[in-house]
């Protein structure tokens, strides 16, 4: 990227951030016409809250759960570690890459499926492969939440499907992203503009053979975090 264009983008980004911060000081949340029930804007450098709307109200977290799933997995295992797909990860409802029992995939491949496809079955496969069981992995997620100071967050599963007590706040989610290793890995997965990520995922249709079949699929990347929808509509 030419230096001049890069400088322009940096200046534009800074201007928008400052504009949004100033608006948040003089306008109520309703005046900004936010459709979200909760929202928060924080300075990643010092954690200062620039804007908030019901940021401390506990709410179901849906697929934003997968942020912590990725954080715990990245801190617990090497991304090249092979994970064999267990029974629990087969046929999980909602968004899926249709894993089959006995398939062998690297943690990196499963993380790509988790964050790009929002695959609920990949989340379970990671949980079982890293934590031994969904319950144990949920405990690991809660321990990490405590260490990050997420006082209003509690996890019951790795994918965000509905469960009693599975709650977080907008502020806690922001802290989890800023205060963990997630940012660095997320930059590897999500590329700005129209770039694509190359990833290997399990075939959706096992037509040619009953054995595992994988293929390289180009998936357009988005420049934002998951929209929070875990269940297929």
């Amino acid at each position: 990227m030419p230096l001049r264009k890069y400088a322009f983008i940096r200046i534009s980004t800074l201007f928008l951030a400052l504009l949004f911060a100033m608006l948040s000081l003089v306008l109520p949340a309703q005046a900004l016409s936010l459709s979200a029930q909760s929202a928060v804007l924080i300075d990643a450098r010092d954690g200062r809250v620039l804007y908030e709307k019901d940021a401390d109200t506990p709410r179901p977290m849906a697929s934003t759960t997968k942020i912590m799933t990725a954080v715990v997995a990245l801190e617990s295992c090497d991304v090249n570690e092979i994970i064999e797909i267990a029974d629990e990860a087969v046929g999980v409802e909602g968004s899926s890459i249709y894993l089959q029992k006995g398939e062998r995939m690297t943690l990196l491949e499963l993380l790509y499926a988790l964050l790009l496809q929002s695959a609920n079955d990949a989340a379970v496969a990671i949980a079982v492969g890293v934590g031994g069981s969904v319950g144990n992995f949920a405990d690991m997620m809660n321990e990490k939440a405590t260490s990050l100071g997420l006082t209003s967050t509690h996890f019951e599963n790795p994918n965000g499907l509905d469960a009693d007590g599975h709650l977080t706040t907008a502020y806690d989610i922001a802290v989890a992203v800023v205060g963990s290793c997630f940012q660095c890995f997320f930059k590897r997965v999500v590329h700005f503009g129209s770039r694509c990520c190359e990833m290997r995922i399990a075939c959706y249709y096992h037509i040619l053979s009953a054995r595992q079949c994988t293929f390289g699929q180009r998936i357009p990347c988005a420049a934002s975090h998951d929209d929070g929808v875990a269940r297929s509509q």
Side-chain angles (χ1 to χ4, degrees):
M1 177 183 297
L3 181 60
R4 183 176 300 177
K5 184 176 181 180
Y6 178 76
F8 173 76
I9 292 175
R10 288 288 298 275
I11 293 172
S12 299
T13 301
L14 178 60
F15 172 76
L16 290 174
L18 290 173
L19 178 61
F20 193 81
M22 289 187 292
L23 286 174
S24 69
L25 293 176
V26 298
L27 295 176
Q30 293 78 3
L32 294 178
S33 300
L34 293 181
S35 61
Q37 292 180 311
S38 295
V40 68
L41 174 66
I42 68 174
D43 189 326
R45 296 168 297 182
D46 56 19
R48 182 165 51 97
V49 176
L50 303 176
Y51 170 82
E52 66 175 298
K53 173 187 175 183
D54 291 333
D56 295 316
T57 301
R59 301 186 187 280
M61 65 186 93
S63 280
T64 55
T65 298
K66 292 160 185 167
I67 294 173
M68 186 61 77
T69 301
V71 168
V72 172
L74 286 166
E75 293 186 351
S76 302
C77 289
D78 185 277
V79 294
N80 295 312
E81 182 166 333
I82 301 296
I83 292 178
E84 184 171 319
I85 306 306
D87 281 334
E88 298 94 321
V90 178
V92 180
E93 66 174 299
S95 181
S96 175
I97 58 167
Y98 304 97
L99 292 171
Q100 299 296 311
K101 180 183 177 182
E103 288 186 276
R104 294 167 60 83
M105 302 179 69
T106 65
L107 175 59
L108 181 61
E109 290 172 327
L110 289 170
L111 285 170
Y112 279 150
L114 178 80
L115 298 175
L116 294 178
Q117 185 72 9
S118 193
N120 293 333
D121 53 353
V124 174
I126 291 170
V128 175
V130 174
S133 70
V134 169
N136 287 342
F137 191 80
D139 290 340
M140 295 168 66
M141 295 170 74
N142 287 318
E143 290 175 7
K144 182 61 180 179
T146 299
S147 72
L148 290 172
L150 311 186
T151 58
S152 301
T153 295
H154 181 77
F155 297 98
E156 291 289 337
N157 60 59
N159 49 32
L161 292 176
D162 292 342
D164 291 339
H166 193 85
L167 301 169
T168 191
T169 65
Y171 179 76
D172 277 4
I173 291 175
V175 171
V177 172
V178 172
S180 69
C181 64
F182 183 76
Q183 284 193 91
C184 293
F185 181 75
F186 195 73
K187 289 176 182 178
R188 293 178 56 185
V189 178
V190 178
H191 298 270
F192 296 104
S194 61
R195 294 184 183 178
C196 292
C197 292
E198 290 290 346
M199 63 177 285
R200 289 172 57 83
I201 62 175
C203 279
Y204 287 103
Y205 309 103
H206 294 254
I207 298 175
L208 301 178
S209 172
R211 301 177 63 185
Q212 177 185 357
C213 174
T214 59
F215 69 105
Q217 179 180 15
R218 297 185 65 84
I219 297 185
C221 293
S224 63
H225 292 304
D226 194 290
D227 60 7
V229 178
R231 189 186 304 276
S232 297
Q233 302 297 322

